[in-house]
Amino acid sequence: VAQSPRDTLHKIYGGTDSSTLGQNGFEKERVIMRVLEGYFAIFLHEAESKTIGVTFPDHPGIITYGKNWEDAKKKAKEALTVALESGFDRNVELPPATRLPKVKRGQRAILVRIPPEVRPVYLLRGWRRTAGYTQKEMAQKLQISYQAYQRMERPGHSNLTVATLQRIADALKQE
């Protein structure tokens, strides 16, 4: 049954739990991975320096600032992207996101979205690890070179299309 790209993306980014047959023929629980949409950042106008300070409650190591609100939003997205790309390279899992954080007077909580070049690679790595495959085994399963698969799992270097993600999902029985 052919699916629209929208249906495929829903399955890729926001599926539900289901069951499938394991390699031994017995039913096993399968979890369809879901990647976060983003993280809340706390923006604070700093009167002394006349800048906007930014922190991420879920990522205590990310701190940045901007000259104004728009600049601070841009810098927050850049800082989050760099932190997630660096964390991915070091095998750091995405921390769970908190709900809308409480803010103090003069602060704003703004959702900073995970960039589209970063979200799918976390998803892909999660799928692969959940299935118990190495990158080399995954490349063999997809009948592509090991290097081509490595690029797929590299933030900012992969060129994943909906069709490619569907092919990977099919290979892992993540439908």
Side-chain angles (χ1 to χ4, degrees):
V1 174
Q3 293 182 334
S4 72
R6 184 180 199 164
D7 292 340
T8 300
L9 283 173
H10 174 72
K11 285 184 175 184
I12 290 169
Y13 284 116
T16 57
D17 293 349
S18 62
S19 296
T20 187
L21 290 178
Q23 291 178 342
N24 60 6
F26 293 101
E27 287 263 326
K28 69 173 187 174
E29 189 68 20
R30 175 178 59 130
V31 177
I32 295 179
M33 306 294 292
R34 185 177 192 147
V35 176
L36 299 168
E37 185 174 337
Y39 290 97
F40 281 102
I42 304 295
F43 291 72
L44 170 65
H45 182 263
E46 298 176 358
E48 282 184 27
S49 62
K50 297 183 181 174
T51 60
I52 309 298
V54 183
T55 60
F56 287 81
D58 298 321
H59 293 274
I62 303 176
I63 300 170
T64 190
Y65 75 96
K67 296 174 188 171
N68 54 47
W69 290 102
E70 286 307 310
D71 187 46
K73 288 178 189 177
K74 179 182 170 195
K75 299 275 179 72
K77 185 175 181 180
E78 290 171 359
L80 179 63
T81 301
V82 168
L84 294 179
E85 286 177 351
S86 172
F88 189 89
D89 290 343
R90 294 178 290 121
N91 279 328
V92 174
E93 296 295 326
L94 287 175
T98 57
R99 295 183 182 251
L100 180 64
K102 292 181 181 181
V103 294
K104 298 175 184 172
R105 186 179 186 114
Q107 294 180 337
R108 292 185 192 172
I110 298 174
L111 180 69
V112 179
R113 296 186 189 289
I114 297 174
E117 64 271 14
V118 176
R119 275 182 91 197
V121 296
Y122 273 97
L123 174 74
L124 187 57
R125 182 175 71 181
W127 277 358
R128 176 179 57 78
R129 287 181 172 173
T130 299
Y133 293 113
T134 65
Q135 286 184 336
K136 187 174 183 179
E137 292 168 334
M138 201 59 216
Q140 291 169 345
K141 193 166 187 60
L142 294 169
Q143 298 177 344
I144 60 175
S145 73
Y146 172 60
Q147 293 81 6
Y149 186 81
Q150 282 183 312
R151 277 191 305 276
M152 286 182 184
E153 278 195 25
R154 182 107 173 101
H157 293 86
S158 65
N159 190 16
L160 296 172
T161 63
V162 172
T164 301
L165 288 171
Q166 183 63 55
R167 183 173 165 216
I168 294 165
D170 289 344
L172 293 173
K173 309 251 187 302
Q174 293 278 350
E175 303 179 331

